[in-house]
């Protein structure tokens, strides 16, 4: 009896230690991902400046911005829903990141359990939290921004999910691990992006990805020149700092999801390389394009990428 | 702790987001400072769309009684630490509108001005000088106007009351800080 108690406490201690290590690993992983996401945003600002024939800020500018914003003395809050929305907005993409193969960077293996259904649910938590906070912000610009953001979400999710479904139909699995295992890591011919019927789905989803990341021409929700930065209008100080962190995390999550489904992202390092490549392509379009009107953007998204992705899906299923 | 505060001050000085309250002609000289010729973004300076996101409010041009109310509302919505720049001769001493019945000649009676840029209008070079000066002041922790506004709240509110004839209350009932 005595020994049994000792064994019991020992295993409790080991369990506690294991949980502690796991928590630590998760925190380090999320921190790393947010840092890489902020680095991407630095590249974005430098790149855009160069396209506009300017010198541009240093590449570590987003880190400076986040330090400044989080060190602001006071933050104008509205009520507890406002706070909750901001936490939801940051938590959604962080939870999504846990189920991408990027987590092998610290030796986690949550991604073996992540499937598409779970990820699609988690993907909307961030934008919805953001919209929740913005709509209690009581600014008319914020309300317009929320309306635009939600209608854009409806617009880009259809082609994006159709594209992902084509891959699911091809591989016959919803698990991310199996989807990435069905592709080669570095040989482009083995990627879903460059296989015949799937290339249509990939192109459709890639156009929609521009909307998912809310880069131009699909950045109606945060149009600073039209609606005073839309959903961001009531966020200042620490809240805006958290929004920058959310933007960084969701960049990694969205691009990582696309890289896993179409570019064969298997481990952390090759996925990160592919994320950088995808991001450079996205910001090249962002730097030279204008912004659609909300109705135009919705029409465009439900017309061209949807038709292309649907064609890819049908050809994959029936041909 | 002191080292950490220095780092924070440094970060604040390298990431100034401005709210351009362009009341008059001063707005004209800011685009050259923003675009490829002078490119203020290489110092991390960016225009922002709303007071909530801004660190510095640029009052560029004459201040009428009506606009002053909006300027004060905008200023009080900004999260501290925050700075005010009085840009051009009109907010400094009235400029060419010094004897108008509608304009306010001195902005610094109503808001704590950190930096003045004289000129009618200050050119883009003067703007860049102003920004580098402001960056130095913030990095050294010298620009403390937002603390003055809290400390001398009675003085500023009394001046505002004398001008408008009533108390200017912040719209959502919150105090200025």
């Amino acid at each position: 009896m005595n020994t049994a108690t000792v064994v019991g406490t020992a295993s409790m201690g080991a369990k506690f230690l294991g949980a502690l290590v796991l928590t630590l690993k998760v925190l380090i992983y999320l921190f790393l991902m947010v840092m890489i996401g902020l680095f991407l945003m630095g590249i974005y600002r430098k790149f855009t400046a160069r396209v506009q024939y300017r010198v541009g800020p240093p590449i570590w500018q987003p880190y400076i911005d986040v330090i400044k914003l989080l060190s602001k003395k006071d933050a104008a809050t509205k009520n507890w829903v406002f706070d909750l929305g901001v936490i939801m907005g940051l938590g959604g993409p962080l939870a999504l990141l846990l189920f991408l193969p990027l987590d092998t960077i610290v030796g986690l293996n949550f991604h073996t359990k992540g499937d598409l259904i779970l990820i699609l649910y988690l993907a909307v938590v961030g934008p919805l939290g953001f919209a929740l906070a913005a709509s209690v912000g009581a600014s008319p610009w914020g309300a317009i921004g929320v309306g635009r953001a939600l209608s854009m979400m409806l617009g880009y999710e259809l082609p994006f999910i159709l594209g992902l479904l084509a891959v699911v139909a091809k591989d016959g699995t919803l698990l991310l691990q199996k989807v990435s295992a069905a592709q080669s890591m570095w040989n482009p011919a083995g990627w879903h992006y460059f296989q015949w019927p799937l290339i249509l789905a990939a192109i459709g989803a890639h156009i929609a990805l521009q909307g998912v990341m809310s880069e131009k021409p699909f950045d109606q929700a945060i149009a600073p020149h039209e609606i005073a930065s839309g959903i961001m209008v009531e966020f200042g100080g620490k809240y805006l700092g958290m929004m920058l962190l959310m933007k960084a995390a969701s960049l990694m999550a969205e691009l990582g999801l696309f890289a896993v489904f179409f570019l064969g992202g298997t481990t952390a390092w090759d996925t990160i390389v592919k994320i950088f490549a995808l991001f450079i392509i996205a910001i090249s379009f962002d730097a030279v394009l204008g912004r659609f009107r909300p109705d135009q953007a919705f029409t465009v998204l439900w017309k061209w990428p949807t038709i292309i992705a649907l064609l890819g899906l049908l050809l994959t299923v029936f041909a | 702790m002191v080292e950490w505060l220095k780092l924070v001050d440094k970060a604040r000085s390298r990431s100034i987001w401005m709210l351009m309250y362009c009341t008059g002609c001063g707005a004209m000289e800011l685009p050259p400072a923003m675009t490829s010729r002078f490119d203020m973004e290489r110092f991390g300076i960016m225009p922002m769309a709303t007071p909530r996101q801004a660190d510095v409010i640029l009052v560029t041009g004459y201040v009428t009684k009506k606009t002053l109310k909006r300027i004060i509302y905008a200023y009080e919505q900004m999260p501290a630490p925050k700075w005010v720049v009085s840009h051009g001769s009109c907010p400094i001493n009235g400029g060419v509108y010094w004897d108008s019945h509608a304009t306010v000649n001195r902005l610094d009676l109503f808001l704590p001005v950190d930096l003045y840029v004289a000129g009618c209008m200050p050119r883009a070079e003067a703007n860049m000088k102003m920004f580098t000066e402001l960056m130095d002041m913030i990095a050294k922790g010298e620009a403390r106007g937002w603390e003055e506004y809290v400390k001398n709240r009675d003085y500023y509110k009394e001046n505002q009351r004398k001008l408008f004839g009533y108390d200017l209350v912040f719209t959502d009932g919150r105090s200025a800080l």
Side-chain angles (χ1 to χ4, degrees):
Chain A
M1 183 179 154
N2 206 3
T3 43
T5 330
V6 169
V7 168
T9 49
S11 68
M12 276 287 280
K15 261 186 190 170
F16 178 71
L17 202 68
L20 200 70
V21 169
L22 190 68
T23 317
L24 216 62
K25 272 184 179 175
V26 167
L27 287 180
I28 292 171
Y29 164 64
L30 294 178
F31 179 76
L32 262 177
M33 286 304 114
V34 169
M35 288 299 121
I36 299 173
L38 285 175
F39 187 70
L40 285 179
M41 287 158 72
I43 292 177
Y44 169 78
R45 285 180 65 179
K46 194 79 184 170
F47 188 93
T48 315
R50 287 309 177 120
V51 170
Q52 295 169 354
Y53 209 62
R54 292 187 286 121
V55 178
I59 212 149
W60 52 86
Q61 185 66 40
Y63 302 101
I64 303 178
D65 290 347
V66 167
I67 292 175
K68 178 204 73 175
L69 286 171
L70 292 182
S71 74
K72 282 275 190 188
K73 295 273 183 209
D74 57 344
T77 181
K78 297 290 171 186
N79 50 32
W80 62 272
V81 183
F82 192 75
D83 299 1
L84 182 78
V86 175
I87 293 167
M88 246 176 92
L90 183 59
L94 290 183
L96 177 49
L97 272 174
L98 275 179
F99 295 100
L100 293 180
L102 288 163
D103 62 359
T104 53
I105 200 169
V106 290
L108 289 168
N109 60 351
F110 283 117
H111 72 278
T112 52
K113 300 173 186 74
D115 71 352
L116 186 62
I117 307 286
L118 174 71
I119 278 180
L120 290 182
Y121 268 105
L122 287 177
V124 296
V125 171
L128 280 184
F130 207 173
L132 185 69
S135 54
V136 295
S139 168
W141 300 121
I144 297 174
V146 169
R148 287 185 177 195
L150 293 183
S151 63
M152 286 304 296
M153 220 164 101
L154 210 61
Y156 62 67
E157 289 231 310
L158 181 69
F160 196 65
I161 292 174
L162 281 177
L164 299 186
L165 278 183
V167 173
V168 169
K170 165 90 185 330
D171 294 345
T173 175
L174 285 164
L175 284 171
L176 259 66
Q177 197 192 14
K178 290 186 180 163
V179 167
S180 61
Q183 304 169 71
S184 63
M185 198 191 286
W186 287 118
N187 179 17
W191 293 348
H192 285 147
Y193 204 116
F194 297 112
Q195 293 169 3
W196 159 236
L198 277 178
I199 190 171
L200 294 175
I203 290 172
H206 204 161
I207 299 173
L209 184 69
Q210 201 81 357
V212 174
M213 293 161 59
S214 70
E215 302 284 358
K216 288 191 187 73
F218 301 117
D219 66 334
Q220 286 80 11
I222 45 169
H225 317 95
E226 290 172 48
I227 51 172
S229 74
I231 36 184
M232 314 265 284
V233 67
E234 281 295 325
F235 296 102
K238 295 187 173 76
Y239 291 94
L240 195 58
M242 284 177 76
M243 281 300 146
L244 280 194
L245 297 181
M246 177 221 166
K247 174 78 182 158
S250 42
L251 272 183
M252 294 300 288
E254 289 147 1
L255 293 170
L257 185 63
F258 191 86
V260 169
F261 267 79
F262 293 106
L263 301 180
T266 320
T267 61
W269 294 109
D270 75 295
T271 313
I272 287 174
V273 171
K274 285 159 191 172
I275 283 175
F276 271 77
L278 279 171
F279 190 67
I280 297 289
I281 294 170
I283 61 179
S284 315
F285 281 100
D286 181 89
V288 294
L289 288 178
R291 183 187 305 126
F292 280 126
R293 280 203 322 259
D295 54 325
Q296 288 171 334
F298 196 81
T299 317
V300 165
L301 278 173
W302 271 29
K303 201 187 269 175
W304 299 113
T306 307
I307 290 174
I308 297 170
L310 189 65
L311 207 64
L313 176 63
L314 293 178
L315 283 176
T316 313
V317 174
F318 294 112
Chain B
M1 193 65 195
V2 177
E3 291 300 310
W4 170 246
L5 285 179
K6 268 185 191 164
L7 180 74
V8 168
D9 273 340
K10 186 81 185 156
R12 281 172 185 160
S13 75
R14 298 299 296 204
S15 162
I16 301 174
W17 294 354
M18 47 176 194
L19 179 69
M20 297 184 290
Y21 205 99
C22 297
T23 54
C25 41
M28 196 47 84
E29 294 298 336
L30 283 166
M34 246 181 263
T35 47
S36 55
R37 180 66 192 268
F38 292 101
D39 184 27
M40 59 170 80
E41 204 190 351
R42 67 203 148 109
F43 301 127
I45 303 167
M46 280 206 303
M48 275 291 143
T50 83
R52 294 261 191 241
Q53 303 164 357
D55 305 309
V56 53
I57 180 166
L58 254 65
V59 183
T60 63
Y62 57 84
V63 182
T64 65
K65 270 193 204 175
K66 246 182 165 174
T67 41
L68 183 60
K69 281 180 207 167
R70 275 73 185 173
I71 291 171
I72 292 168
Y73 282 144
Y75 177 75
E76 295 193 354
Q77 282 183 59
M78 287 160 58
K82 51 192 173 180
W83 300 281
V84 185
V85 173
S86 183
H87 182 274
S89 47
C90 293
I92 298 176
N93 61 9
V96 291
Y97 303 99
W98 65 276
D99 61 347
S100 162
H101 63 278
T103 58
V104 173
N105 284 355
R106 283 181 60 190
L107 180 67
D108 54 5
L109 291 176
F110 308 97
L111 283 179
V113 177
D114 291 289
L115 202 58
Y116 303 89
V117 197
C120 183
M121 285 308 298
R123 296 298 313 276
E125 293 90 338
N127 282 334
M128 294 312 289
K129 180 85 177 84
M130 176 264 285
F131 281 124
T132 46
E133 196 100 339
L134 188 64
M135 281 163 62
D136 284 348
M137 285 167 71
I138 294 169
K140 288 179 195 152
E142 286 169 3
R144 291 272 164 197
W146 52 281
E147 283 179 349
E148 295 299 309
Y149 192 66
V150 183
K151 230 180 274 169
N152 305 323
R153 194 175 161 73
D154 293 342
Y155 169 75
Y156 288 114
K157 285 290 157 188
E158 182 58 32
N159 284 344
Q160 292 168 12
R161 187 180 305 122
K162 268 186 207 159
L163 181 71
F164 302 126
Y166 53 86
D167 277 331
L168 210 57
V169 182
F170 191 48
T171 37
D172 60 10
R174 217 163 45 85
S175 69
L177 256 183

